Every structure is written in structure tokens, then in C-alpha cells.
Amino acid sequence: VVTNQLHTINTDAKTLLNTVFGHSAFRGQQAEIIKHISTGGDALVLMPTGGGKSLCYQLPSILRQGTGIVVSPLIALMQDQVDKLTQQGIKAALINANIPNEVARETVQLAFRGELDLLYISPERLVSDFFLAILDGLYQSNKIALFAIDEAHCITQWGHDFRPEYRQLSTLHDRYPSVPRIALTATADPKTQTEIREQLGLSQAKRFISSFLRPNLAYTVTDKQSAKHQLLDFLQPRAGQAGIVYCATRKKVEQIADWLFSVGYNALPYHAGLSPEIRQTALQRFQQESGLIVVATIAFGMGIDRADVRFVAHLDLPRNLESYYQETGRAGRDGYAAENWMCYGLHDVLTVVLRNSHSPSAHVELMELLAYCETPKCRQVALLSHFGEAAAPCGICDNCLEPPTYWDATVATQKALSVIYRTGMMFGSQHLIDVLLGKSTPKVREYGHEKLPTFGVGKEHKRSEWRRIFRQLLVAGYIEFNPEGFGALRLTEHARTVLSGNASVSLKQLPLQNIGKYSNEEKRDD
């Protein structure tokens, strides 16, 4: 009987794949996942962006009796999925904060009548007492096909600050034990996988982990010297291509979008502070217009289904490596060559530190991210190793194309560490560099730092070079930010061996083509 059931499921799944979804064959582990869920199993699915995660719960929802309940974090993502399913003749609907109560009631009635294949719902609405009572009724009537928890990394990536309701979804296991559940994400290192399983009560779920390798993506990480000019240099040979530019703040998003538009690029902003109408229009334009650049915060991109995004640029550090992998994965989903470019500086590091000063785990994630930025290894190798996967050098990233060179920075390091120590470990890099360069600024004179032995001892290096030195020393663990001073740097125990002359230090050289290129931008990384 079981064999016959599996044969029927496999046959029906292949038929639906072709007649409804328009695909001739399953990709990767799709067939195995669909069979597992369709026969009542729980699953944790890790599949890279563009790998076909949605099909893994959409098709079983049609195969199984009842309605598939899909928990989705973003309204734009829900609407995009429902629109596409409806166009394919699949009975799908959504319930979120923007849906009027009368429409929501009609949608629920469709589910009770067995006339709904998929229902997308926000986590806030699902865990409400009102909707849980509705689920109780559907469960008693055997009208729930499955629960799909999409973008499951929200449990750990944003945690209580973003979707506290995600952490309440374990109630689905307790309340509806016979309904299969599938949690899906494109990014989760082993630690995150464990937390997802614990938070959602999926300890016994079967794991399906696809390769994180995206061989068509090239990665470049560069020093931030003049961010706008560097971005412009990156965009010029890619004029007319669709892409995404990520910035850390809403203000910067609007500034960069306006500036790009003023210099001739078809660019528009996207962030959570804009009205739903403006965001929806931006989303529709991005999916339909060729050559459009969206400048966005992380509010843009989750679930965006555009295959020909040719580049993703980061003007600021992402939250962590998981965020970076997911954001860069929005490029090249059609399998053709695409590029990921990021510039960052010491000021970016400080911004992330201040933003996450309350979170010890965020500090660990930051250091992992900085280690990736400064690695001499192939970017693909470094990125995949974070997710526990081995890979061969890609041959197309910046480190593969131009392996970094190193210089003996022992003396420069001693000068940098000494100026931090002699100024009391209560000043940021800008002031410290002023002292090293012998700049008699009002602040230098106010504290009498022009009288220090370290005043003017670093004139052999430019300001941009000293910023790079301080940043690399931070990543290497010789210095750290002092929590008692806004942006202040202090020495670590590791610095003692260098100051005492018992250790040497090698630091990465700036690539030759970038030396002096932005020499007029000497204030700080913008």
C-alpha cells in the first residue's frame, strides 16, 4: 500500500510539475523533499536563492487534502507569490495587516469549503488567538494540508527585534501534531540550523541541505575611500543592467538613489519608511523594467523573483555573513554571470558595533564578516566554509584574479598601537590619525596631544592608508572598540607582543590600481 501511495504521489507530482508549474523536471532535491512532505514528514530545507524552495511546499499543498498554510514575513513577498500562483490556476490567497476583515473572513470560508490550495499569512496574524481558533476548526475538519515556514532564518537573523511571532510558531507542533511542517531558508550556518530546529520544534525533522555554491557569481570587496565615486566606477561598465545597491540607513538610500538619478541612472529608493503604495510601485517597476537600479535597505529583496539581476552592490557592511550571502544571492538567478561588489571602511565597522552593542552574538558575527572581508582566500571558498561546505577556488573573485600581497607593517603597527596607548585609549581613528600625521587641530591642541612623542611620526602614510591599517589591526585582534568611548579604540592583550618587539605584523597591500585613485578624498570613508 505504501509503495502504491508513493508511486501515485510521484506520478501526480510530475504531472502537476509539468501541467501547472510548467517545468519538465525537478531540480536538485525537490522531488525527494516533495515526496517526504506529501507523505506527512517534517523537513528543514536549506536551498540557495533561486533553487526552487517555493515549489517544495506549493506542490505538496496541492497534492495533500486541505489548505497549505504558508507563514511569510513580508507583504510584498506574499503578494508576489499569490499573484503568480493565481495566474497558474492555483487557488491561493493571503491574509495580513493590509487585508480587510471581510475579505479575510471570505478567505477562511474558502478554506473550510476545501476551495483553497494555499493560504499565505503573516506570523502576527497566525499566532493571534482569533486565527488559532480558526486553525483549530480546520484541523478538526482535516482541512490543513501542511504548514510552511518561509524565510525561517528570521528566527535568528532578526530575532525578537524583527519577528518575535516567529519564535511562537512552535505552537504549531504542539497544537496540530499530525500536520507536516516544512521550514525553508536560503541561509543558515550550522548554529542557525540548530536554533531553527529548536525554536520551531523540528528536532526530528529531516534536513535537506543543498550546495551553497553559486559558480556564476563573482565577489569583490574593496576599501571604502570615496564611496560614491567607487560605486560610479563600478556601475559605468554595467550601464543598462538591472541591479540592487544596498545601504545601511533609509537616509542614505534616498541620498544615493537621488544622486544616481541625477547622474543619469534609472534608480529609485526602497525602504520600510516609504508608503506601501510607493514600495509596491517600486517592486513592480523592478520586476518589469530593464536596466533599473533599486537602492535599498534590507527591507528589499526577500523573495524577489527576478532572474536577470546582474549585480548587487553593498555601500555598507551587511548585518552578517548569512545576510550577505542571501543579499548577494539575488544576483544571477538565471545562471548567467553576475557580480557582487562591496566597499567598506572603519567607520562602517563602528556603525555596526554601535548598532549591536547590546548583543554579544552580534560581535561574533561582525568579526566573522570582517574576517571574510580581509581574507586572502578565494571569496567563494571563504563564504562556503562559513556554511560548512568545501569548495575549490572560483577563479573569478578579486582574490583569485589578483591575489593580495603583504608588506611588513610592524613599525607602522607599533606607531598605531603607541598613539592609542599614549592618548589614553579614549579616541577614535580620526583623531589618532591627526596625531600621527602631525595635524595641529583644535582637538589635538585641546588635549595637548601635539606634545606627545607620537605626534607627527606617521607622515610616511596617507590618511587613507592609516584608516586601512587601523581596520586591519582591528580584524587581527590587536585593537578593539572601547565601549566607554564613542568610537574610541583601545589595545588588547594581543598588542603587548608587538609593542615589546617580540612579534612582527604583515598587512595586506591596497591593490595597485587603487593606490592614489581617490587621493582627494582624504577626510574619512563616506
Side-chain angles (χ1 to χ4, degrees):
V1 175
V2 172
T3 301
N4 289 338
Q5 181 189 24
L6 291 177
H7 175 75
T8 300
I9 287 172
N10 289 338
T11 302
D12 291 346
K14 290 178 181 177
T15 300
L16 288 171
L17 178 72
N18 181 256
T19 59
V20 176
F21 294 95
H23 302 301
S24 59
F26 290 110
R27 287 187 289 164
Q29 296 178 297
Q30 283 180 331
E32 187 181 356
I33 296 167
I34 288 168
K35 182 171 68 175
H36 180 72
I37 297 298
S38 297
T39 53
D42 294 334
L44 171 61
V45 175
L46 277 74
M47 193 177 288
T49 301
K53 293 187 297 297
S54 299
L55 190 70
C56 294
Y57 60 80
Q58 290 172 348
L59 209 156
S61 295
I62 301 172
L63 285 171
R64 290 179 59 84
Q65 179 179 335
T67 300
I69 308 296
V70 184
V71 184
S72 184
L74 292 179
I75 292 174
L77 172 57
M78 289 188 209
Q79 190 65 61
D80 182 54
Q81 294 277 2
V82 169
D83 288 346
K84 289 180 179 177
L85 290 168
T86 302
Q87 292 170 7
Q88 293 169 319
I90 299 170
K91 294 170 285 187
L94 69 160
I95 294 177
N96 55 47
N98 292 349
I99 301 299
N101 289 334
E102 58 271 20
V103 175
R105 284 193 291 268
E106 292 172 4
T107 299
V108 168
Q109 288 305 312
L110 289 174
F112 272 104
R113 293 199 299 268
E115 300 175 7
L116 197 60
D117 295 317
L118 286 137
L119 173 59
Y120 286 75
I121 185 166
S122 62
E124 294 87 350
R125 296 295 290 270
L126 184 137
V127 299
S128 67
D129 291 339
F130 174 76
F131 196 80
L132 287 174
I134 291 173
L135 289 179
D136 289 344
L138 290 171
Y139 181 67
Q140 292 165 7
S141 305
N142 198 27
K143 295 288 179 63
I144 303 178
L146 58 84
F147 289 108
I149 301 153
D150 205 5
E151 308 293 352
H153 59 274
C154 289
I155 290 168
T156 56
Q157 184 174 352
W158 290 284
H160 298 284
D161 293 332
F162 182 69
R163 281 294 196 273
E165 292 79 11
Y166 258 84
R167 293 178 175 260
Q168 300 174 34
L169 295 179
S170 60
T171 189
L172 299 178
H173 171 64
D174 301 331
R175 205 157 176 147
Y176 316 110
S178 64
V179 179
R181 292 168 302 138
I182 176 172
L184 309 100
T185 179
T187 56
D189 60 14
K191 178 183 66 175
T192 302
Q193 293 174 39
T194 299
E195 189 167 354
I196 290 173
R197 288 160 68 92
E198 291 175 351
Q199 290 291 338
L200 295 179
L202 288 170
S203 58
Q204 302 303 313
K206 186 172 182 178
R207 284 191 292 180
F208 296 89
I209 303 176
S210 301
S211 172
F212 287 90
L213 179 63
R214 296 283 302 281
N216 62 314
L217 299 186
Y219 290 86
T220 296
V221 180
T222 189
D223 286 66
K224 181 179 288 187
Q225 299 172 68
S226 174
K228 283 184 177 181
H229 294 92
Q230 288 173 278
L231 177 62
L232 203 59
D233 284 348
F234 173 75
L235 292 178
Q236 282 175 345
R238 297 161 185 84
Q241 296 180 354
I244 304 171
V245 177
Y246 282 110
C247 301
T249 66
R250 299 175 184 180
K251 180 180 179 181
K252 187 169 181 178
V253 161
E254 295 185 5
Q255 289 174 341
I256 295 297
D258 290 345
W259 172 72
L260 283 176
F261 188 81
S262 72
V263 295
Y265 286 89
N266 188 15
L268 71 163
Y270 188 105
H271 60 72
L274 299 173
S275 70
E277 294 77 18
I278 293 177
R279 280 181 287 156
Q280 184 62 28
T281 299
L283 182 62
Q284 290 173 348
R285 286 186 59 190
F286 181 71
Q287 292 174 327
Q288 297 168 5
E289 294 183 23
S290 61
L292 184 67
I293 298 174
V294 171
V295 185
T297 60
I298 58 168
F300 180 81
M302 196 181 293
I304 296 305
D305 188 16
R306 175 165 182 165
D308 65 340
V309 175
R310 296 271 65 87
F311 65 84
V312 171
H314 282 80
L315 282 186
D316 299 300
L317 282 174
R319 288 175 179 266
N320 50 38
L321 275 176
E322 284 80 9
S323 297
Y324 181 65
Y325 177 82
Q326 186 170 54
E327 288 156 17
T328 58
R330 287 160 194 152
R333 293 177 62 173
D334 54 9
Y336 293 105
E339 296 178 83
N340 289 296
W341 177 87
M342 174 169 64
C343 69
Y344 89 107
L346 190 61
H347 188 260
D348 295 316
V349 181
L350 173 60
T351 300
V352 175
V353 168
L354 294 176
R355 186 174 63 209
N356 299 300
S357 58
H358 62 286
S359 173
S361 62
H363 176 73
V364 174
E365 291 176 343
L366 172 62
M367 297 314 294
E368 291 172 342
L369 177 61
L370 294 179
Y372 165 80
C373 291
E374 296 293 343
T375 184
K377 297 179 182 177
C378 165
R379 299 288 179 191
Q380 285 271 25
V381 169
L383 196 55
L384 267 64
S385 67
H386 177 75
F387 296 102
E389 183 177 346
C394 68
I396 57 175
C397 73
D398 56 345
N399 285 343
C400 284
L401 293 174
E402 186 179 350
T405 58
Y406 288 79
W407 62 289
D408 184 351
T410 305
V411 174
T413 298
Q414 289 172 335
K415 291 178 180 180
L417 300 180
S418 180
V419 75
I420 292 173
Y421 178 77
R422 290 182 180 277
T423 55
M425 297 193 281
M426 292 300 296
F427 295 90
S429 61
Q430 183 74 5
H431 179 76
L432 297 172
I433 295 172
D434 284 338
V435 176
L436 287 168
L437 295 177
K439 303 289 185 181
S440 184
T441 67
K443 188 173 181 180
V444 168
R445 294 193 299 272
E446 177 185 353
Y447 289 95
H449 290 164
E450 77 280 9
K451 301 174 184 177
L452 293 176
T454 47
F455 184 75
V457 298
K459 292 181 180 180
E460 71 275 20
H461 297 295
K462 295 179 181 179
R463 182 176 296 275
S464 58
E465 293 169 342
W466 277 116
R467 288 201 304 265
R468 181 178 175 83
I469 290 168
F470 276 111
R471 194 183 71 235
Q472 291 191 64
L473 294 179
L474 182 74
V475 176
Y478 293 107
I479 60 177
E480 63 186 6
F481 284 107
N482 188 343
E484 297 180 8
F486 182 86
L489 294 169
R490 67 182 181 186
L491 306 184
T492 67
E493 286 296 319
H494 195 33
R496 291 181 181 273
T497 56
V498 181
L499 283 173
S500 63
N502 294 322
S504 60
V505 179
S506 294
L507 299 179
K508 275 203 306 183
Q509 291 272 24
L510 189 68
L512 289 175
Q513 68 269 25
N514 292 335
I515 294 177
K517 190 171 184 180
Y518 306 100
S519 57
N520 292 330
E521 304 295 326
E522 282 291 310
K523 290 186 177 180
R524 67 167 175 84
D525 32 61
D526 53 5

